[in-house]
Amino acid sequence: MAAPLLVLNKGQILLIQNPPKQALVLTNTDYISTLVVAVNNLSELYTVGDYVTFNPSGATLINYDSITYYLTTEDKIIFKEQ
């Protein structure tokens, strides 16, 4: 699975929905576990391969090669799994 080749603006991040890295499951919430597949090269918080949780409301959906990607900003992420 190759992510689309995009040049992301400062603060932007590209995610795909993915099961959580740990056994962590959020209930009664709109937040989802995702995998970082692209990030602006100025990011100090996230790298490709990180597992993060965010609310997809307001994210831009991109369909590429039958996969749905979420284009959002880093400030929409509530936490990163270790």
Side-chain angles (χ1 to χ4, degrees), residues 43 48 57:
S43 177
V48 171
S57 176

Side-chain angles (χ1 to χ4, degrees), residues 13-59:
I13 191 164
L14 190 65
L15 311 166
I16 58 171
Q17 190 167 357
N18 206 45
K21 180 178 175 183
Q22 304 172 26
L24 177 68
V25 176
L26 298 177
T27 57
N28 195 25
T29 181
D30 293 331
Y31 289 90
I32 60 173
S33 294
T34 57
L35 177 67
V36 176
V37 295
V39 66
N40 178 275
N41 61 356
L42 298 175
S43 177
E44 296 178 1
L45 298 174
Y46 306 104
T47 60
V48 171
D50 285 343
Y51 289 86
V52 298
T53 299
F54 90 112
N55 186 329
S57 176

